[in-house]
Amino acid sequence: MPRLAYLGPEGTFTEEALRLLDPTAERLPCATVSAALNAARSGDADGAVVPLENSIEGAITTTLDEFAWGEPLLINAELLLPVQFSLLARPGTEIPHIKRVYTHPAAITQCRAYISRELPDAVVVAAPSTAAAAQEVSLPGSPYDAAIAARIAGEHYGLVELAGHIGDRSDTVTRFVKVSRPGPLPEATGSDRTTLVVFLADDHPGALLEMLTEFSVRGVNLTRIESRPTGDGIGRYFFHFDFEGHVADARVGEAIAGLHRICGEVRFLGSYPRADGVAPQIKRGTSDPEFAEAGDWLAKVRAGQV
Ligand SMILES: O=C(O)C(=O)Cc1ccccc1
C-alpha cells in the first residue's frame, strides 16, 4: 500500500483528489505543498498529490516553482476535480456578524463575487489550506469567524454550513497531479499528457517561437503554457509546457530532443494518462509508423541505396 503525502489537514480538496486517485493509499497530511513534495523526495512518502491549476485562476505557482527548482519529481497521474465551496462557522454564528474569514488563496479568488456581495465588510485572510482554515475556526478562541472550505471539512471540524455553493461558477475544476521520485514511466495509453520545464540558453528575438516550432512541426498540441520568473531580474523567464502525447511517441520524443538541442535546460516532468481520456488528433506525417518509415528511408540514403 503506497504512502502518499498531500496538502492537509484532513478535509482538503487535495485529500479528496488523493482518495480518487488511489483509494487504498495510506495518507500523510502535510502543512504545505512544499512539505508534501519534500516528503516524497526524502522517502517519508512514496509520492505526493498536489494541486497544479484551476479553471478560474490558472496555475498554482508554488507547485510550478517546486517542480522547476526542487529536487526532481515525476508526475505519474492527474485528476480533474470539480470543487464546491461552503461558508462554515462555529454554531450560533450569523452571516452579518462575520468580520474575519479564513481560507486558502485559491478559494478566495473562486468565491470573489459571494464575498463582495454577502461579506462586504469582512477581512479575508489567506490560510495554508481550506481544511486548515476550518480547523482553526473550530477552535473556541479563534480570531476568525468563518472559513471557506469543502462541506465535508465543516462536518469534520464541527462547524455549521451557513451557505453552500458559494463559488462564482458552479463548474470550477481543479487539476491535481500525483508525483513520485524519478523511476519507470507509466506506459503510453494513446491518451497521454507530457509536462516539461524549459530554461532558455540566452534571450534573443524569436526564442519563444523557436521553442513552439519544435512542437508545431511535429504536430504536438500544447494544452498549457506558462512563463515564470527565473528570479534573475525583470524580463527573465522560464517556461512550463503541457502537451498531448507520451515521450514514447516518436513526435513527442523528437520535439523534446529538439528543445534539448536549442534550449539551456529541459526538465522532463513526466508522461502520464490524461484524466479526460481525450486522444490527440495525429496530423499527417507525424505518427510513429511515419517517423519509423522516414528513419528507414534516411538510413538507405546514407547507405547509398537510393
Ligand atoms: O486547500 C485545499 O483544500 C486544497 O486542496 C487546495 C485547494 C484550494 C481551493 C481549491 C482547490 C484546491
Side-chain angles (χ1 to χ4, degrees):
M1 193 166 66
R3 183 171 146 94
L4 295 179
Y6 71 98
L7 173 64
E10 242 180 272
T12 58
F13 293 109
T14 309
E15 181 188 338
E16 198 179 336
L18 187 163
R19 286 172 179 273
L20 291 165
L21 280 163
D22 192 341
T24 65
E26 184 190 332
R27 294 182 300 279
L28 176 66
C30 296
T32 62
V33 163
S34 300
L37 294 174
N38 283 336
R41 292 183 178 114
S42 70
D44 282 351
D46 300 300
V49 175
V50 293
L52 182 73
E53 61 174 327
N54 71 65
S55 58
I56 301 284
E57 189 66 6
I60 314 276
T61 50
T62 319
T63 305
L64 295 192
D65 290 349
E66 275 283 352
F67 286 173
W69 301 109
E71 277 293 300
L73 290 165
L74 283 182
I75 302 172
N76 50 47
E78 68 170 11
L79 180 94
L80 302 175
L81 184 75
V83 292
Q84 299 290 348
F85 299 98
S86 296
L87 182 68
L88 307 166
R90 291 179 293 279
T93 308
E94 287 173 10
I95 292 181
H97 299 136
I98 294 175
K99 293 286 168 269
R100 286 173 69 81
V101 178
Y102 200 36
T103 191
H104 187 273
I108 302 176
T109 55
Q110 291 176 62
C111 300
R112 255 192 228 296
Y114 179 88
I115 294 169
S116 66
R117 193 176 65 243
E118 305 294 334
L119 302 163
D121 302 323
V123 174
V124 186
V125 179
S129 73
T130 57
Q135 188 177 39
E136 162 63 39
V137 168
S138 75
L139 303 174
S142 173
Y144 303 103
D145 306 311
I148 295 174
R151 177 180 295 153
I152 192 161
E155 290 166 13
H156 189 82
Y157 295 105
L159 301 177
V160 292
E161 185 183 55
L162 300 183
H165 299 275
I166 66 168
D168 295 350
R169 292 182 59 138
S170 56
D171 55 355
T172 308
V173 172
T174 300
R175 178 173 165 232
F176 294 86
V177 290
K178 181 155 81 70
V179 298
S180 53
R181 291 182 294 284
L185 306 184
E187 300 224 330
T189 65
S191 167
D192 304 289
R193 200 187 311 279
T194 296
T195 300
L196 287 186
V197 171
V198 181
F199 295 87
L200 296 175
D202 58 86
D203 185 20
H204 60 271
L208 179 59
L209 184 61
E210 287 163 16
M211 285 193 276
L212 296 179
T213 301
E214 297 294 330
F215 294 108
S216 167
V217 296
R218 281 133 187 147
V220 175
N221 192 29
L222 297 183
T223 54
R224 183 176 61 90
I225 174 169
E226 317 265 358
S227 53
R228 293 287 306 145
T230 62
D232 296 332
I234 298 293
R236 303 280 169 197
Y237 286 90
F238 68 96
F239 300 89
H240 269 260
F241 293 101
D242 280 352
F243 45 92
E244 292 178 345
H246 192 285
V247 69
D249 299 332
R251 67 187 174 288
V252 170
E254 296 274 336
I256 74 171
L259 290 171
H260 175 80
R261 275 189 285 105
I262 67 169
C263 296
E265 188 193 335
V266 176
R267 183 182 267 210
F268 175 73
L269 292 181
S271 288
Y272 47 90
R274 276 180 79 144
D276 57 13
V278 172
Q281 287 198 345
I282 315 244
K283 256 174 64 181
R284 189 179 168 276
T286 67
S287 69
D288 277 10
E290 286 163 312
F291 270 98
E293 192 279 330
D296 293 346
W297 172 82
L298 180 61
K300 282 191 191 139
V301 170
R302 286 175 171 161
Q305 290 169 7
V306 277

